[in-house]
Amino acid sequence: LIHLYSAGYMSHDEGFGKFFAYLNLFLFSMLLLVMGSNYLMMFIGWEGVGLCSYLLIGFWYKNNNYGDAARKAFIMNRIGDLGFLIGIFLIFQTFGTIEYLEVFEKAKSFPIGSEIIGFITLALFVGAMGKSAQIPLFTWLPDAMAGPTPVSALIHAATMVTSGIYMIVRSNVLYTLAPGTLEFVAWIGLA
């Protein structure tokens, strides 16, 4: 539906083809993020949606404010991505794999409140904070409305900002073992 709306909304724009190339790259990245079987595939999709967000927010780059908004979103997302990457490294170091099923199977042997699981889930949540525009990494989202309206509808209202929540839900086995992180998530959500 966003594509149908975009076809009419962007029909007058000289960058029509470029816009749809970016939009389809975003969809590819989002599908990769959701359908991958391990944390590496999720991370590749995660980076892809971040790149497309930058490209689409700054689509009308001749306006300096829009370019600034795109760079702000890109930098804030990279801060969160560093946390996510650290979480993936800790998962590999702890479990020897990054495949979801293997990680979750091996995680069953850890006690609830395990310190390493707490570190892993906290690092993953930092990634979610950046991507989902949660406190304190939320300041990029209001500026992101500089992009074309279909971008705001698809990326910043529906899909990309929910990818952080998807990652937490996908990692629910780990988060169940980390009540301290769950409490932190609740406080950030409340704030």
Side-chain angles (χ1 to χ4, degrees):
L1 290 175
I2 296 292
H3 272 70
L4 290 175
Y5 178 74
S6 297
Y9 186 88
M10 298 298 290
S11 61
H12 67 283
D13 198 284
E14 61 188 37
F16 183 82
K18 183 173 70 169
F19 176 81
F20 273 93
Y22 293 164
L23 201 61
N24 285 322
L25 180 61
F26 171 81
L27 289 177
F28 170 77
S29 299
M30 195 68 200
L31 288 172
L32 192 64
L33 186 154
V34 172
M35 297 177 77
S37 67
N38 59 55
Y39 284 99
L40 179 61
M41 294 304 289
M42 182 187 279
F43 185 73
I44 292 169
W46 189 272
E47 288 300 309
V49 296
L51 170 66
C52 293
S53 175
Y54 164 76
L55 293 171
L56 288 164
I57 292 168
F59 184 74
W60 291 314
Y61 59 89
K62 292 177 183 174
N63 181 325
N64 287 336
N65 291 335
Y66 293 177
D68 292 344
R71 283 186 292 282
K72 184 177 184 181
F74 193 75
I75 291 167
M76 295 295 265
N77 273 276
R78 295 300 72 78
I79 294 168
D81 294 351
L82 177 62
F84 188 38
L85 196 57
I86 290 170
I88 293 171
F89 288 146
L90 287 173
I91 287 170
F92 186 76
Q93 181 183 11
T94 305
F95 301 108
T97 183
I98 52 173
E99 292 290 326
Y100 296 137
L101 295 178
E102 294 175 27
V103 168
F104 301 152
E105 188 62 36
K106 291 179 180 181
K108 291 177 183 176
S109 65
F110 284 78
I112 291 177
S114 168
E115 201 171 280
I116 188 64
I117 301 293
F119 286 134
I120 289 170
T121 54
L122 200 55
L124 292 176
F125 183 62
V126 170
M129 291 165 81
K131 197 65 73 191
S132 299
Q134 299 173 27
I135 292 173
L137 302 176
F138 69 96
T139 58
W140 66 269
L141 189 58
D143 296 343
M145 300 309 148
T149 300
V151 173
S152 300
L154 176 67
I155 297 181
H156 306 120
T159 52
M160 191 183 94
V161 293
T162 59
S163 62
I165 307 308
Y166 169 79
M167 183 267 297
I168 290 174
V169 171
R170 188 74 178 98
S171 306
N172 71 67
V173 172
L174 298 176
Y175 279 88
T176 301
L177 296 172
T181 305
L182 286 177
E183 186 175 337
F184 180 69
V185 170
W187 282 110
I188 291 294
L190 181 64

